[in-house]
Amino acid sequence: MLRALIHHWRIHLAVVAGAAVASAVLSGALLVGDSVRGSLRDLTLARLGGIDVALVSDRFFRDELVDDLTALPEFAGRAAPAVVLRGAAVHGDTGSRASRVSIHGIDERFPAVHGSRPELDLARRPGQIFSSAAISARLARELGAAEGDPLVLSFGRFSAVPRDTLMGETDVEAVLGTLRVTVIEVLPDTGLGQFGLQPTQQDPLGVFVDIAQLQRALDQAGKINSIFLGSLDGRAEPDRWLESVIQLPDLGLGVERRQGAFDLISDEFVLRPRIDDAVTRVAAKLGTPSLRVQSYLANQLRFGDRTIPYSLVVALDRTDAPGGARLERLDGGTVDVPGSREILLNEWAAGDLGAGVGDTVELDYFAVGPREELLDRTVELTVSGVVAIRGLGDDPTLTPEYPGIQEAEDLASWDPPFPVDLDLVRDEDEAYWDRHGATPKAFLGAATGKELWATRFGHTTSVRLGAAPGSTLDETMEAFRVAMLEELPPASAGMAFRPLKAEGLTAARGATDFAMLFVSFSFFLILSAALLIGLLFGLGVERRAREIGLMLAVGYPVSKVRNGFLAEGAVLAATGAALGLAGGVGYAWLMMAGLRSLWVGAVGSARLYLHVGTISLPVGWVVSMIVILGAIAMTVRRVRKVPPPQLLAGSLAAARASKHRRITPVLAWAGLGLAVAIVGYALASGQTDNPGLAFGTGSMLLISGLAFFALWCRGSRS
C-alpha cells in the first residue's frame, strides 16, 4: 500500500487536499458554535462577577433583611442591598437624553460582592455639590458625558397604593422622582460596567449612585427592593433562608395594637384577596374573633336639600368588634348589620341631615374607570338606624391613614390624590374633624360595601382581631404573625431569588445552535468537497484499471482488491482530515472576526472570540472521515461490476449502469417540481423567512440542476 501511495502521489495529494477542505469546513462550523457559546459565557461571567442570585422585587422592604440573612449560621455567601430602578438620564449641560437607563442604588457591599471593582467609592468629593455617580461607558457615549459632568436622573417613585384605585397617585409630578448627580467615573465596558439583570449581549446603560441618596429621592429611607448574593458554593437555598427571616412589614403588612384587640393593615390600603383568605384561615386556626372593615370616602351624603361633604364611610361584617367595642343605638341597644342598600348614620350625621330611620339618603362617591379616570357615582341607601358616637362608633382607627387626609389638622388642609372642592367644607364639618378626626359618619353592611367599592386588588382595608381563647393578646399577636408568614411565603408577594448566573449561562448556550447553523450554511460546500474527493479518487482508480484487471486475472478476490483501495482511501482521508483541523481553526477565527464586525447585528455583541472546544475537533475529524470514506466507498463499488478483460483493456465504462441513465431525468424533474412546490407552500403559508424551507428549496434546485447538467452533457456527446 505504501508503494502505491508513493507511486500515485499526485492524484493522492489532490484527494488529501479535498479531504482537508471538507474537514476544515466541518470542524470550523463546529468551532463557531463553541466560540459563540464560549464568548457569551464569558460575557455572563464578566457581567455578574461574583453575584450568583438576586432578589429584585416590585415592592420595597426593610434593608435590615440583608443583615438578617447574613446573620444565619448556614449562610456562607456574601450579600449586598440595592435599589434597582428603570429610568432616564439627561446631561445637565447639553440636554442630551438616554432612556431605559438602569439605575442602581448601592453601598460598599455591592462592588465587594461583584468583585470587579471592590474599591469603587461613591462618596462626595471635596467641593462636590451633588451626589456622585459612576456610569457605564455606553451611557457616557450616549450622553456625551465625561467625569465631572452633571446628570439628572429621573425615575418612577414607588407607591404601594395601586394607581387605579381611589387613593392611587396619578399626578405626574408626584409619581416621578429626580436625582441630580455628578459623574465621578466612567466605568469601562468590562466587569461592573457591564452589569445588568437581563442576559443580553448589548452593553448596558447603567448608573451607580449611593443607595442612601436614592432612597431619599424616593422617600423610602431604610427601604430596598433588591438583594444580591454571591459565593453560594452551588447551594440553592436562598429562598428557604429568606422564609426564615422575613417579617410581615417586608410583605407590606402591619399589625397595630388597639384597645383589647389588634388590626392587620396593608400599605396598599386594601388587603389583597390572597392575604384576606390567609387571615380567614389563620383566624379559624387560632380561634380568634375577627371584624372585617372596608373604608371609603363619600364625596357627599345628601338628604333633601341638606348635604354633608367628604365623609368617611365604613362597611362592616358585624357590629361588635373584638376587644368589646360595638356599635350602639342612642339608647344603648344593639344595632344590627345593615342589609343590602341600607345605611347606619351616626348621631351627628343624622342630625345634620335631618334624616331618620326609613328615609332614603344619597351617597356620592368616586369610582376609578378603566383608564384610571374618576367617575362620579351616586347610590340611594335606606337609613336602617342611627348609632351613637361612642364605642365602635367613635373609633377613627377604623379608617386607614389615607395620604393627604389622616395627617391634616383640619379639612381645609386636605390634599388627597384626587380632586376635592374645599369650598364645600362648612364650619360644622371642621368642628367634627377637630373633635372626632377620621371617625366614620356612616356604616354599611359588608356586602353593600363590596358591591360598591371592591377592586381587583381587594376590598377589605383592615381586619380587627382579638385574643384567642386561653391566650393573652400579646401571645395571640405573636402566634398570628407566625401563622401569617406560614400562609404567605415570600414568593407569593413576588419576593423570590432568581438564579441570575445560572440563567445567564443557560442563555449563553443560546436558542440558536450556531454550530448546526454554520454546518447548514456549509452543507453544499461539504457536499461538493465529498463529490470532488469521490471524483478524484475515482480518477485514480480508473487510471489503475489495468492493475486491477491483472490482480483479478491472477486470482485475487474482488473483496481483497476493494479492501486494499479502501485502506488507501482511509489513509488519505485520515491525513487530509487531520490537516483540515488546522484550517478549521482558521476558518472559525475568520467567522468570529466577521460576526464581531461585519455581521455584529446577528448576535448583538462585538465581544466574540475564538474558543476551541475539547470535543469539536475530534468530532469534526470523525465526521469528516465518515463523509470522505463514504464518497470513496461509492467509487470503489464500481470495480466489482467490470469484468477483468475490460479492466485489462483499461476501461471502467461498464460501471455506468443503464439504470443511472433512467434515474437522471427523474431526479431532474422531481427536484425541480419539489423546489417549486416548497416555494408555493412558503408563499401560501406566509413562511417566506423559514430557514428550513429555504434550505429545502436550495437542495432540490441543486439536485435538479446537477441532473439537468448531466443530461445536457450526455446529449452533447451523442
Short mmCIF file of all heavy atoms in Angstrom, two decimals, residues 358-402:
data_model
loop_
_atom_site.label_atom_id
_atom_site.label_comp_id
_atom_site.label_asym_id
_atom_site.label_seq_id
_atom_site.Cartn_x
_atom_site.Cartn_y
_atom_site.Cartn_z
N GLY A 358 -85.76 54.84 57.97
CA GLY A 358 -86.70 54.71 56.87
C GLY A 358 -86.51 55.73 55.77
O GLY A 358 -87.04 55.54 54.67
N ASP A 359 -85.77 56.80 56.04
CA ASP A 359 -85.51 57.79 55.00
C ASP A 359 -84.47 57.26 54.01
O ASP A 359 -83.65 56.39 54.33
CB ASP A 359 -85.00 59.10 55.61
CG ASP A 359 -86.09 59.83 56.39
OD1 ASP A 359 -87.27 59.65 56.05
OD2 ASP A 359 -85.75 60.56 57.35
N THR A 360 -84.51 57.84 52.81
CA THR A 360 -83.55 57.46 51.76
C THR A 360 -82.57 58.60 51.56
O THR A 360 -82.97 59.73 51.26
CB THR A 360 -84.26 57.16 50.44
OG1 THR A 360 -85.16 56.05 50.63
CG2 THR A 360 -83.26 56.80 49.35
N VAL A 361 -81.30 58.30 51.75
CA VAL A 361 -80.25 59.29 51.53
C VAL A 361 -79.46 58.90 50.29
O VAL A 361 -79.43 57.73 49.88
CB VAL A 361 -79.31 59.40 52.76
CG1 VAL A 361 -80.09 59.82 53.99
CG2 VAL A 361 -78.58 58.09 53.00
N GLU A 362 -78.83 59.90 49.70
CA GLU A 362 -77.98 59.66 48.53
C GLU A 362 -76.52 59.79 48.93
O GLU A 362 -76.15 60.69 49.69
CB GLU A 362 -78.30 60.66 47.42
CG GLU A 362 -79.70 60.50 46.84
CD GLU A 362 -79.98 61.50 45.73
OE1 GLU A 362 -79.31 62.56 45.72
OE2 GLU A 362 -80.86 61.25 44.90
N LEU A 363 -75.72 58.89 48.43
CA LEU A 363 -74.29 58.90 48.72
C LEU A 363 -73.55 59.04 47.39
O LEU A 363 -73.69 58.20 46.50
CB LEU A 363 -73.88 57.61 49.44
CG LEU A 363 -72.44 57.50 49.95
CD1 LEU A 363 -72.40 56.61 51.20
CD2 LEU A 363 -71.51 56.89 48.89
N ASP A 364 -72.78 60.12 47.25
CA ASP A 364 -71.97 60.35 46.06
C ASP A 364 -70.53 59.92 46.35
O ASP A 364 -70.00 60.20 47.44
CB ASP A 364 -71.97 61.83 45.67
CG ASP A 364 -73.36 62.33 45.30
OD1 ASP A 364 -74.23 61.50 45.03
OD2 ASP A 364 -73.57 63.56 45.31
N TYR A 365 -69.90 59.27 45.37
CA TYR A 365 -68.52 58.84 45.55
C TYR A 365 -67.83 58.75 44.19
O TYR A 365 -68.49 58.76 43.14
CB TYR A 365 -68.45 57.49 46.27
CG TYR A 365 -69.09 56.34 45.51
CD1 TYR A 365 -68.33 55.50 44.70
CD2 TYR A 365 -70.46 56.10 45.59
CE1 TYR A 365 -68.91 54.45 44.01
CE2 TYR A 365 -71.05 55.05 44.90
CZ TYR A 365 -70.27 54.24 44.11
OH TYR A 365 -70.85 53.21 43.41
N PHE A 366 -66.52 58.67 44.23
CA PHE A 366 -65.73 58.48 43.02
C PHE A 366 -65.47 57.00 42.80
O PHE A 366 -65.14 56.27 43.74
CB PHE A 366 -64.37 59.18 43.11
CG PHE A 366 -64.43 60.67 42.86
CD1 PHE A 366 -63.72 61.54 43.68
CD2 PHE A 366 -65.16 61.19 41.80
CE1 PHE A 366 -63.75 62.90 43.46
CE2 PHE A 366 -65.20 62.56 41.58
CZ PHE A 366 -64.49 63.41 42.41
N ALA A 367 -65.62 56.57 41.55
CA ALA A 367 -65.16 55.25 41.12
C ALA A 367 -64.05 55.46 40.10
O ALA A 367 -64.02 56.48 39.40
CB ALA A 367 -66.30 54.43 40.52
N VAL A 368 -63.12 54.51 40.02
CA VAL A 368 -62.00 54.62 39.10
C VAL A 368 -62.33 53.83 37.84
O VAL A 368 -62.63 52.63 37.90
CB VAL A 368 -60.70 54.10 39.73
CG1 VAL A 368 -59.54 54.25 38.76
CG2 VAL A 368 -60.41 54.85 41.02
N GLY A 369 -62.27 54.52 36.68
CA GLY A 369 -62.60 53.89 35.41
C GLY A 369 -61.46 53.07 34.85
O GLY A 369 -60.36 53.02 35.41
N PRO A 370 -61.69 52.43 33.72
CA PRO A 370 -60.67 51.54 33.14
C PRO A 370 -59.42 52.28 32.68
O PRO A 370 -58.37 51.67 32.53
CB PRO A 370 -61.40 50.89 31.94
CG PRO A 370 -62.53 51.82 31.63
CD PRO A 370 -62.93 52.43 32.93
N ARG A 371 -59.51 53.59 32.47
CA ARG A 371 -58.33 54.38 32.07
C ARG A 371 -57.84 55.24 33.23
O ARG A 371 -57.24 56.28 33.02
CB ARG A 371 -58.67 55.24 30.86
CG ARG A 371 -59.05 54.45 29.62
CD ARG A 371 -59.39 55.38 28.46
NE ARG A 371 -59.77 54.63 27.26
CZ ARG A 371 -60.99 54.18 27.03
NH1 ARG A 371 -61.95 54.40 27.93
NH2 ARG A 371 -61.27 53.51 25.93
N GLU A 372 -58.11 54.79 34.42
CA GLU A 372 -57.69 55.47 35.64
C GLU A 372 -58.36 56.83 35.80
O GLU A 372 -57.89 57.68 36.56
CB GLU A 372 -56.16 55.62 35.71
CG GLU A 372 -55.43 54.29 35.68
CD GLU A 372 -53.91 54.46 35.73
OE1 GLU A 372 -53.46 55.60 35.91
OE2 GLU A 372 -53.20 53.46 35.60
N GLU A 373 -59.48 57.05 35.08
CA GLU A 373 -60.21 58.29 35.24
C GLU A 373 -61.21 58.15 36.38
O GLU A 373 -61.67 57.05 36.70
CB GLU A 373 -60.93 58.65 33.93
CG GLU A 373 -62.16 57.81 33.61
CD GLU A 373 -61.85 56.51 32.90
OE1 GLU A 373 -60.69 56.06 32.99
OE2 GLU A 373 -62.77 55.93 32.29
N LEU A 374 -61.55 59.27 37.02
CA LEU A 374 -62.51 59.26 38.13
C LEU A 374 -63.91 59.45 37.58
O LEU A 374 -64.18 60.36 36.79
CB LEU A 374 -62.18 60.37 39.12
CG LEU A 374 -60.86 60.21 39.90
CD1 LEU A 374 -60.63 61.40 40.81
CD2 LEU A 374 -60.88 58.92 40.72
N LEU A 375 -64.80 58.58 37.99
CA LEU A 375 -66.20 58.61 37.55
C LEU A 375 -67.09 58.93 38.74
O LEU A 375 -66.93 58.36 39.83
CB LEU A 375 -66.60 57.26 36.95
CG LEU A 375 -65.70 56.71 35.83
CD1 LEU A 375 -66.15 55.31 35.45
CD2 LEU A 375 -65.70 57.63 34.63
N ASP A 376 -68.02 59.86 38.56
CA ASP A 376 -68.97 60.20 39.62
C ASP A 376 -70.06 59.13 39.69
O ASP A 376 -70.68 58.79 38.68
CB ASP A 376 -69.61 61.56 39.36
CG ASP A 376 -68.62 62.70 39.53
OD1 ASP A 376 -67.98 62.75 40.59
OD2 ASP A 376 -68.49 63.53 38.60
N ARG A 377 -70.30 58.62 40.88
CA ARG A 377 -71.33 57.62 41.10
C ARG A 377 -72.23 58.07 42.26
O ARG A 377 -71.77 58.72 43.21
CB ARG A 377 -70.72 56.26 41.43
CG ARG A 377 -69.93 55.64 40.28
CD ARG A 377 -70.88 55.07 39.23
NE ARG A 377 -70.16 54.33 38.21
CZ ARG A 377 -69.79 54.84 37.04
NH1 ARG A 377 -70.07 56.12 36.77
NH2 ARG A 377 -69.15 54.11 36.15
N THR A 378 -73.50 57.72 42.16
CA THR A 378 -74.46 58.03 43.22
C THR A 378 -75.28 56.78 43.52
O THR A 378 -75.71 56.07 42.59
CB THR A 378 -75.41 59.17 42.80
OG1 THR A 378 -74.64 60.35 42.55
CG2 THR A 378 -76.40 59.47 43.91
N VAL A 379 -75.49 56.50 44.80
CA VAL A 379 -76.29 55.35 45.20
C VAL A 379 -77.30 55.80 46.25
O VAL A 379 -76.99 56.66 47.10
CB VAL A 379 -75.39 54.22 45.75
CG1 VAL A 379 -74.62 54.67 46.97
CG2 VAL A 379 -76.22 52.98 46.07
N GLU A 380 -78.51 55.29 46.18
CA GLU A 380 -79.54 55.59 47.17
C GLU A 380 -79.55 54.49 48.23
O GLU A 380 -79.57 53.30 47.90
CB GLU A 380 -80.91 55.69 46.50
CG GLU A 380 -81.03 56.89 45.56
CD GLU A 380 -82.45 57.02 44.98
OE1 GLU A 380 -83.23 56.03 45.13
OE2 GLU A 380 -82.77 58.07 44.41
N LEU A 381 -79.53 54.91 49.49
CA LEU A 381 -79.47 53.98 50.60
C LEU A 381 -80.56 54.33 51.62
O LEU A 381 -80.83 55.51 51.87
CB LEU A 381 -78.09 54.04 51.28
CG LEU A 381 -76.88 53.75 50.38
CD1 LEU A 381 -75.59 54.13 51.09
CD2 LEU A 381 -76.85 52.28 49.98
N THR A 382 -81.14 53.30 52.18
CA THR A 382 -82.19 53.49 53.18
C THR A 382 -81.59 53.48 54.58
O THR A 382 -80.82 52.58 54.92
CB THR A 382 -83.25 52.37 53.07
OG1 THR A 382 -83.80 52.38 51.75
CG2 THR A 382 -84.36 52.58 54.09
N VAL A 383 -81.93 54.48 55.36
CA VAL A 383 -81.42 54.57 56.74
C VAL A 383 -82.08 53.49 57.58
O VAL A 383 -83.30 53.46 57.73
CB VAL A 383 -81.68 55.96 57.34
CG1 VAL A 383 -81.17 56.03 58.78
CG2 VAL A 383 -81.03 57.05 56.49
N SER A 384 -81.26 52.58 58.12
CA SER A 384 -81.80 51.49 58.94
C SER A 384 -81.62 51.75 60.42
O SER A 384 -82.12 50.98 61.25
CB SER A 384 -81.12 50.16 58.57
OG SER A 384 -79.73 50.22 58.86
N GLY A 385 -80.90 52.81 60.78
CA GLY A 385 -80.71 53.11 62.18
C GLY A 385 -79.76 54.27 62.37
O GLY A 385 -79.09 54.72 61.44
N VAL A 386 -79.73 54.77 63.61
CA VAL A 386 -78.82 55.85 63.99
C VAL A 386 -77.98 55.33 65.15
O VAL A 386 -78.51 54.77 66.12
CB VAL A 386 -79.59 57.11 64.41
CG1 VAL A 386 -78.62 58.19 64.87
CG2 VAL A 386 -80.45 57.63 63.25
N VAL A 387 -76.65 55.50 65.03
CA VAL A 387 -75.75 54.96 66.04
C VAL A 387 -75.12 56.10 66.83
O VAL A 387 -74.93 57.22 66.32
CB VAL A 387 -74.65 54.09 65.41
CG1 VAL A 387 -75.25 52.89 64.70
CG2 VAL A 387 -73.80 54.89 64.44
N ALA A 388 -74.80 55.79 68.06
CA ALA A 388 -74.18 56.77 68.95
C ALA A 388 -72.69 56.89 68.65
O ALA A 388 -72.06 55.94 68.21
CB ALA A 388 -74.39 56.37 70.40
N ILE A 389 -72.16 58.10 68.92
CA ILE A 389 -70.72 58.30 68.74
C ILE A 389 -70.04 57.88 70.04
O ILE A 389 -69.61 58.70 70.86
CB ILE A 389 -70.41 59.76 68.37
CG1 ILE A 389 -71.20 60.18 67.13
CG2 ILE A 389 -68.91 59.94 68.10
CD1 ILE A 389 -70.95 61.62 66.69
N ARG A 390 -69.97 56.60 70.22
CA ARG A 390 -69.25 56.00 71.35
C ARG A 390 -68.93 54.56 70.98
O ARG A 390 -69.50 53.99 70.07
CB ARG A 390 -70.08 56.08 72.64
CG ARG A 390 -71.42 55.38 72.59
CD ARG A 390 -72.09 55.42 73.96
NE ARG A 390 -73.42 54.80 73.92
CZ ARG A 390 -74.56 55.46 73.78
NH1 ARG A 390 -74.54 56.80 73.66
NH2 ARG A 390 -75.71 54.83 73.74
N GLY A 391 -68.00 53.97 71.72
CA GLY A 391 -67.61 52.61 71.41
C GLY A 391 -67.02 52.50 70.02
O GLY A 391 -66.17 53.30 69.60
N LEU A 392 -67.49 51.52 69.24
CA LEU A 392 -67.01 51.33 67.88
C LEU A 392 -67.41 52.50 66.98
O LEU A 392 -66.76 52.76 65.97
CB LEU A 392 -67.56 50.01 67.32
CG LEU A 392 -66.91 49.47 66.05
CD1 LEU A 392 -65.43 49.22 66.26
CD2 LEU A 392 -67.61 48.19 65.58
N GLY A 393 -68.48 53.20 67.35
CA GLY A 393 -68.93 54.34 66.56
C GLY A 393 -68.09 55.58 66.76
O GLY A 393 -68.33 56.60 66.11
N ASP A 394 -67.11 55.53 67.66
CA ASP A 394 -66.22 56.67 67.91
C ASP A 394 -64.77 56.20 67.80
O ASP A 394 -63.95 56.51 68.66
CB ASP A 394 -66.51 57.26 69.29
CG ASP A 394 -65.78 58.58 69.51
OD1 ASP A 394 -65.39 59.22 68.51
OD2 ASP A 394 -65.57 58.96 70.68
N ASP A 395 -64.48 55.48 66.72
CA ASP A 395 -63.14 54.90 66.55
C ASP A 395 -62.54 55.35 65.23
O ASP A 395 -62.85 54.80 64.17
CB ASP A 395 -63.23 53.37 66.59
CG ASP A 395 -61.86 52.71 66.63
OD1 ASP A 395 -60.85 53.42 66.45
OD2 ASP A 395 -61.80 51.49 66.85
N PRO A 396 -61.67 56.38 65.25
CA PRO A 396 -61.06 56.84 63.99
C PRO A 396 -60.08 55.83 63.39
O PRO A 396 -59.71 55.95 62.22
CB PRO A 396 -60.34 58.13 64.41
CG PRO A 396 -60.09 57.98 65.87
CD PRO A 396 -61.24 57.18 66.40
N THR A 397 -59.66 54.83 64.16
CA THR A 397 -58.71 53.84 63.62
C THR A 397 -59.38 52.83 62.70
O THR A 397 -58.69 51.98 62.12
CB THR A 397 -58.00 53.09 64.76
OG1 THR A 397 -58.95 52.34 65.51
CG2 THR A 397 -57.28 54.06 65.68
N LEU A 398 -60.69 52.91 62.55
CA LEU A 398 -61.36 52.05 61.57
C LEU A 398 -60.97 52.43 60.14
O LEU A 398 -61.11 51.62 59.22
CB LEU A 398 -62.88 52.14 61.72
CG LEU A 398 -63.48 51.49 62.97
CD1 LEU A 398 -64.97 51.76 63.02
CD2 LEU A 398 -63.21 50.00 63.00
N THR A 399 -60.51 53.65 59.95
CA THR A 399 -60.08 54.10 58.62
C THR A 399 -58.56 54.11 58.57
O THR A 399 -57.90 54.51 59.53
CB THR A 399 -60.61 55.51 58.31
OG1 THR A 399 -60.11 56.42 59.29
CG2 THR A 399 -62.13 55.51 58.35
N PRO A 400 -57.97 53.68 57.46
CA PRO A 400 -56.50 53.69 57.34
C PRO A 400 -55.98 55.12 57.23
O PRO A 400 -56.74 56.07 57.03
CB PRO A 400 -56.25 52.89 56.06
CG PRO A 400 -57.50 53.03 55.27
CD PRO A 400 -58.63 53.12 56.26
N GLU A 401 -54.70 55.27 57.35
CA GLU A 401 -54.08 56.59 57.27
C GLU A 401 -53.93 57.00 55.81
O GLU A 401 -52.89 56.83 55.18
CB GLU A 401 -52.73 56.58 57.99
CG GLU A 401 -52.85 56.33 59.48
CD GLU A 401 -51.52 56.47 60.19
OE1 GLU A 401 -50.52 56.81 59.52
OE2 GLU A 401 -51.48 56.25 61.40
N TYR A 402 -55.02 57.55 55.28
CA TYR A 402 -55.02 57.97 53.88
C TYR A 402 -54.04 59.13 53.67
O TYR A 402 -53.99 60.06 54.47
CB TYR A 402 -56.41 58.40 53.44
CG TYR A 402 -57.41 57.28 53.35
CD1 TYR A 402 -58.62 57.34 54.02
CD2 TYR A 402 -57.15 56.17 52.57
CE1 TYR A 402 -59.54 56.32 53.93
CE2 TYR A 402 -58.07 55.14 52.47
CZ TYR A 402 -59.26 55.23 53.15
OH TYR A 402 -60.17 54.21 53.06
#
